[in-house]
Amino acid sequence: MCTIMKIPDAMAQLDRLLERELPQHGDVERVERRMGHSKGYLRKLRNKNWNVLLVTLLEVLEGLDIPPGVFFGRLFDVQSDPESCLLAIERQSGETPVLAALEKATARLARSEPRVAAEDVGRRARLEDLTRSSRSDQCKRLRSTQKFQALDFLQRYLDYLDRLRYEQADNAAKIAETVATGVVELVVCSPTERLELQCKALGVYGSSARLLGQFTPAARAIRLGMKLAQRHDLEVSYAELLQRGAYVLHDHGEYDRALGLLQDAQVIYSDLGLEKSLGMALVDRGIMLGQKGDYQRAQRVFRQALETLPLRPGTCCRSRLASLHGIAVAQRHLGELDAAETSLDEALAYASAQSGAVVGKLIWLQGMIASDRQEHAEAELLLLEALRLFTACDDPLDVALVSLGLMKALLAQDKGQEAVGLAKQMTALLKRFKGNQLAEGALVELIEGGLRGEVSVELVERVAANLAKGGPLPDRVRH
């Protein structure tokens, strides 16, 4: 892991490195001649603690809390280890009580012993026994009720929270925090099973925080889980956290490093023969290639994912849906509108049992294709339905982006006043992007245009581009 290094230590390490490397590349005098300097130049320079520029640069990096390894890795396009990349994001904000509690709980678990089961702990609990309650009640009952502290139940419950985050990211984050800080340690299981459970809880918390635009806690929780998994050789847990970390890096423009993390996860799944997990990692890879604009490769990877995912009934439906949707998105961007509609029809056949947000993604894409065909009245109807579904699911980024698509459809029909009214309504979303300066600034620009009664296609497109940069991976069915 690349950590912040004090300047004297960095200079000393640089000196040791040069002492070791110079003899390996011929005599020092030959190097000095090639540089155009007289004998003794390098020795004099080293005795002067090298140069002021390097010291100043290290001071700047120290002040910014950027690890030198991460900075120089970016400068020379050298792949940094995943922990270092996440650490750079993590250091963008300060400590919080939640993060401190997560670290303390994880440290305790690493030293925990097996717990002996009480007679009634093995009684199977149903998810519905808990999930019908309010968030606060769920947290309370998780800490106090033994049947909810069984290993099998908590594994299923964390899977439920992982799905819930797409609809209610705030609730998923709060409950996952409770599980990680005060419930996992109560579970009757082996130490290894407990640590795997903690990795999952940290991952769900981190992914939920990411969807809320809270990237510092997202990076911290995921990195904490990665360290735990590495230390205890939990390969599957580590690979799952690599996938989650890839999304955080992608949201910060680290596209190649994000793809690198997914590649590492794929290798682990392939080595272990985990077909379903490998297929899901391929779906993630396809999503990110599409976000990079590499639509041809994205299509190939999505089709590879469809071939890899198991065909057993009831398994991987959401991942298959994500692949079909990703193929349709790529086809639309390549101008293959008929093929995109065919892929969407196939996706809709999978979507009947899925949540409103998933169906909303498909209808959104249908609306965009209608706009591409200049069928603006049809696009308006489709985008209104997608907006209704996203609003019901409390998905602020998708609400904002679909609203922008709807504004374009309205403007194309000379419904300028309706577009202005929709822009003004975006004020209600501002608080949901607090702390996300790029997304918040984009929304403010749109709202101000609405208040002036000046909403144009150019403004909408500019705001959409900035909003997409400031939010987590829009325009995709997630799995």
Side-chain angles (χ1 to χ4, degrees):
M1 180 177 63
C2 183
T3 57
I4 298 298
M5 183 181 295
K6 297 297 182 184
I7 292 173
D9 295 334
M11 299 305 297
Q13 183 165 313
L14 177 62
D15 198 56
R16 288 193 297 271
L17 178 63
L18 287 166
E19 190 74 48
R20 185 173 71 244
E21 293 296 330
L22 281 173
Q24 294 179 14
H25 295 83
D27 60 64
V28 175
E29 293 181 18
R30 180 174 59 82
V31 174
E32 290 169 333
R33 285 197 300 274
R34 290 184 61 182
M35 293 173 66
H37 294 288
S38 59
K39 180 180 178 181
Y41 172 79
L42 289 176
R43 180 65 58 184
K44 291 176 183 177
L45 193 59
R46 288 172 62 191
N47 289 339
K48 291 180 180 178
N49 208 23
W50 289 94
N51 56 57
V52 175
L53 178 60
L54 179 58
V55 174
T56 303
L57 176 59
L58 290 170
E59 287 175 343
V60 170
L61 295 178
E62 184 179 55
L64 294 173
D65 281 342
I66 298 176
V70 171
F71 176 82
F72 287 107
R74 288 173 177 169
L75 177 64
F76 298 112
D77 197 27
V78 177
Q79 186 80 7
S80 300
D81 66 276
E83 280 193 35
S84 296
C85 295
L86 290 169
L87 179 62
I89 297 170
E90 177 187 320
R91 290 183 179 275
Q92 291 177 6
S93 299
E95 184 66 80
T96 68
V98 172
L99 294 177
L102 288 172
E103 287 204 349
K104 287 181 181 178
T106 302
R108 285 198 308 271
L109 288 171
R111 303 187 298 269
S112 66
E113 298 295 332
R115 296 185 72 243
V116 179
E119 291 182 5
D120 62 344
V121 168
R123 183 159 57 91
R124 188 176 182 84
R126 299 177 305 160
L127 286 175
E128 296 79 11
D129 295 339
L130 188 59
T131 57
R132 287 178 295 198
S133 303
S134 66
R135 183 177 79 192
S136 60
D137 191 48
Q138 288 184 56
C139 291
K140 180 180 178 180
R141 296 172 71 194
L142 281 165
R143 287 188 292 256
S144 62
T145 308
Q146 281 190 332
K147 72 174 183 178
F148 298 138
Q149 296 163 7
L151 175 64
D152 175 68
F153 175 80
L154 267 182
Q155 288 171 334
R156 288 182 289 119
Y157 185 69
L158 284 170
D159 286 336
Y160 158 78
L161 291 180
D162 213 14
R163 297 188 299 271
L164 180 69
R165 65 186 167 95
Y166 299 122
E167 315 288 333
Q168 301 173 33
D170 187 50
N171 283 340
K174 294 286 187 182
I175 301 173
E177 174 198 331
T178 297
V179 173
T181 57
V183 180
V184 171
E185 60 188 323
L186 303 175
V187 178
V188 176
C189 60
S190 70
T192 297
E193 289 170 329
R194 184 175 292 111
L195 295 178
E196 289 173 337
L197 205 58
Q198 182 71 356
C199 286
K200 182 65 175 285
L202 289 168
V204 173
Y205 172 81
S207 292
S208 301
R210 170 190 161 262
L211 290 178
L212 293 167
Q214 299 169 2
F215 295 113
T216 290
R220 172 76 69 87
I222 291 169
R223 191 174 68 86
L224 190 59
M226 288 168 61
K227 287 172 63 179
L228 187 67
Q230 280 186 308
R231 192 175 299 124
H232 297 276
D233 297 321
L234 309 176
E235 289 187 275
V236 175
S237 295
Y238 184 67
E240 290 173 351
L241 288 159
L242 283 172
Q243 286 178 264
R244 296 180 189 275
Y247 276 85
V248 177
L249 293 181
H250 186 284
D251 292 343
H252 280 72
E254 299 280 2
Y255 305 120
D256 291 332
R257 287 186 172 87
L259 288 167
L261 297 200
L262 290 178
Q263 182 67 40
D264 291 345
Q266 286 175 230
V267 169
I268 293 172
Y269 293 139
S270 180
D271 289 347
L272 296 176
L274 299 176
E275 191 178 57
K276 177 181 175 181
S277 297
L278 176 58
M280 292 174 71
L282 286 167
V283 174
D284 287 341
R285 185 173 179 81
I287 288 172
M288 293 189 186
L289 286 169
Q291 287 289 321
K292 279 187 69 178
D294 194 344
Y295 298 114
Q296 295 286 8
R297 284 180 68 199
Q299 276 199 80
R300 289 198 298 271
V301 172
F302 280 129
R303 296 190 188 282
Q304 185 182 351
L306 289 171
E307 293 172 0
T308 303
L309 291 165
L311 288 171
R312 294 186 298 275
T315 61
C316 305
C317 290
R318 193 169 185 124
S319 294
R320 288 186 166 278
L321 180 57
S323 295
L324 290 167
H325 180 261
I327 289 170
V329 170
Q331 289 168 331
R332 178 200 165 222
H333 282 288
L334 291 169
E336 302 167 3
L337 300 185
D338 290 341
E341 288 181 328
T342 300
S343 298
L344 266 180
D345 288 341
E346 189 175 352
L348 283 164
Y350 275 95
S352 58
Q354 297 296 327
S355 68
V358 172
V359 176
K361 293 281 186 183
L362 302 176
I363 295 174
W364 179 7
L365 185 54
Q366 285 182 317
M368 299 305 290
I369 291 173
S371 288
D372 294 339
R373 294 188 186 279
Q374 306 300 310
E375 297 168 356
H376 301 299
E378 177 68 12
E380 179 185 349
L381 292 175
L382 289 166
L383 293 172
L384 274 170
E385 176 60 13
L387 182 58
R388 182 188 67 80
L389 290 169
F390 288 137
T391 302
C393 294
D394 193 28
D395 194 330
L397 179 64
D398 286 341
V399 166
L401 291 170
V402 173
S403 296
L404 291 167
L406 180 55
M407 285 178 211
K408 286 184 68 175
L410 292 169
L411 290 169
Q413 300 174 77
D414 295 322
K415 296 182 178 180
Q417 287 306 307
E418 293 183 38
V420 166
L422 191 56
K424 292 177 182 177
Q425 292 175 25
M426 303 286 269
T427 305
L429 288 178
L430 264 181
K431 63 180 180 181
R432 302 298 302 277
F433 292 94
K434 188 176 181 180
N436 187 334
Q437 293 182 356
L438 189 56
E440 194 175 13
L443 278 182
V444 167
E445 182 181 10
L446 179 68
I447 293 164
E448 289 177 346
L451 293 172
R452 293 193 305 269
E454 301 172 359
V455 175
S456 63
V457 172
E458 293 75 21
L459 172 63
V460 170
E461 289 179 344
R462 183 168 65 252
V463 170
N466 288 333
L467 194 60
K469 291 176 185 176
L473 282 181
D475 197 37
R476 293 293 186 276
V477 169
R478 306 172 182 118
H479 70 104

